[in-house]
Amino acid sequence: MYYIEQIDDEYVKYVVSLDEEKLKELRDEIIRNCGEIIHYCYLSPSRLESIVRQNNELKYIENFRTKYVRYSNKHGEIYVYSYDAYDNTRLSELIDSLLGGDSSVISEIKNPVFKRMRKTLKLRNPKKRLNVLLSKEELSEKEMCKLEELKQKLKFYNKYQKLNKERKSDIEYYPLVLTCINMIEIERISVAKIIEWQTLVQQTNNTLEELKPFFIGTNQEDILSLGLKKEL
């Protein structure tokens, strides 16, 4: 795997090797300590296997409970499922991409942009809206329905807050991930040479053959980030 980055007035090409086992261990720790925990509860004819497929790995599911509810002529046995699932963080996704051979993510790992826990759910505390309804002496039928809805939302909100109370940002793990990435410089090329190449391409629509070896084996994203055409 190769990686290209700009340093001052040069582009530097590296051969990259990974400590894959350590990266997998860090990924697991990051999800456990930093991943958003989401509580699920729903009716479904699905079996446990389908839930595992949706959540990728069973080890990131906790407090799994299932209860038979009824039999449906159309869907068969219906169950109520409830469980807590750990979501990915931005860094755990970057690790997945890196392990999949995408070296372009090294740039973001070296210069992280997320400093707080990323949240999949954008929840608002419904307590104020609930209190407004509770303060009324009489409620219409529509307001009664809204009251019950807000009670359920508040229950869900409180559970979410409790589950994620000890969550933390994954920012502290970025330096640890970098220790698992070994980059050995193998070549450099000047920015001026790249500009010369771009000018020639614009004028002739031909590629500059002498530059091709520099980009062989690199990710398309790396090439495009330098403003170069895919054909290179």
Side-chain angles (χ1 to χ4, degrees):
M1 182 162 58
Y2 298 93
Y3 174 66
I4 295 175
E5 67 177 355
Q6 183 176 351
I7 299 178
D8 297 326
D9 60 349
E10 292 182 305
Y11 290 113
V12 184
K13 182 178 181 180
Y14 305 90
V15 61
V16 179
S17 60
L18 307 173
D19 185 339
E20 295 189 6
E21 290 304 313
K22 183 62 177 177
L23 280 173
K24 290 175 182 177
E25 290 176 6
L26 281 173
R27 176 186 179 273
D28 184 63
E29 185 177 335
I30 290 165
I31 293 175
R32 286 285 180 185
N33 292 336
C34 310
E36 180 182 24
I37 303 175
I38 301 176
H39 179 71
Y40 293 89
C41 184
Y42 54 86
L43 289 172
S44 175
S46 301
R47 299 292 182 182
L48 175 60
E49 291 79 6
S50 65
I51 295 174
V52 173
R53 283 197 300 271
Q54 292 170 11
N55 290 273
N56 297 320
E57 298 179 64
L58 185 58
K59 65 181 178 179
Y60 298 125
I61 293 177
E62 289 186 348
N63 304 318
F64 182 87
R65 295 181 179 86
T66 180
K67 182 180 179 180
Y68 173 77
V69 177
R70 64 178 183 272
Y71 182 85
S72 166
N73 290 330
K74 184 176 181 180
H75 300 291
E77 296 179 335
I78 305 296
Y79 296 84
V80 59
Y81 292 98
S82 68
Y83 56 90
D84 302 324
Y86 290 80
D87 200 9
N88 275 304
T89 73
R90 178 57 182 168
L91 182 53
S92 70
E93 290 175 343
L94 293 176
I95 292 173
D96 286 338
S97 297
L98 192 60
L99 290 171
D102 183 0
S103 64
S104 67
V105 300
I106 293 175
S107 176
E108 186 175 332
I109 294 173
K110 293 176 71 174
N111 303 283
V113 294
F114 293 94
K115 298 186 181 299
R116 295 181 299 275
M117 189 187 89
R118 185 183 67 179
K119 293 184 178 180
T120 302
L121 299 182
K122 308 296 182 182
L123 298 179
R124 293 173 56 194
N125 191 339
K127 190 172 182 179
K128 288 184 178 180
R129 289 175 291 162
L130 181 62
N131 287 338
V132 170
L133 290 176
L134 290 173
S135 66
K136 293 186 175 182
E137 292 185 3
E138 293 185 13
L139 296 176
S140 66
E141 185 177 339
K142 184 177 180 180
E143 287 175 327
M144 287 294 292
C145 292
K146 187 64 177 179
L147 180 66
E148 292 305 313
E149 178 187 335
L150 289 174
K151 284 181 179 179
Q152 291 302 313
K153 285 185 175 180
L154 180 60
K155 183 179 179 180
F156 183 84
Y157 177 85
N158 288 336
K159 186 173 184 64
Y160 173 85
Q161 293 296 111
K162 183 178 180 180
L163 285 172
N164 290 281
K165 185 178 181 181
E166 303 300 327
R167 301 286 87 193
K168 60 183 180 180
S169 169
D170 61 6
I171 192 72
E172 66 185 64
Y173 284 96
Y174 280 80
L176 296 176
V177 171
L178 282 175
T179 64
C180 302
I181 305 171
N182 183 41
M183 301 196 304
I184 300 176
E185 180 183 332
I186 56 174
E187 196 171 354
R188 287 177 178 246
I189 193 168
S190 68
V191 173
K193 189 69 174 178
I194 298 295
I195 294 173
E196 175 190 339
W197 181 89
Q198 290 173 314
T199 302
L200 284 172
V201 167
Q202 291 169 359
Q203 292 174 350
T204 66
N205 286 324
N206 293 320
T207 59
L208 194 61
E209 294 296 324
E210 64 186 274
L211 279 181
K212 278 189 176 182
F214 184 78
F215 295 98
I216 289 175
T218 60
N219 289 23
Q220 189 178 87
E221 289 82 357
D222 293 326
I223 296 174
L224 296 180
S225 70
L226 305 181
L228 307 179
K229 287 191 174 182
K230 296 180 183 180
E231 292 80 21
L232 186 61

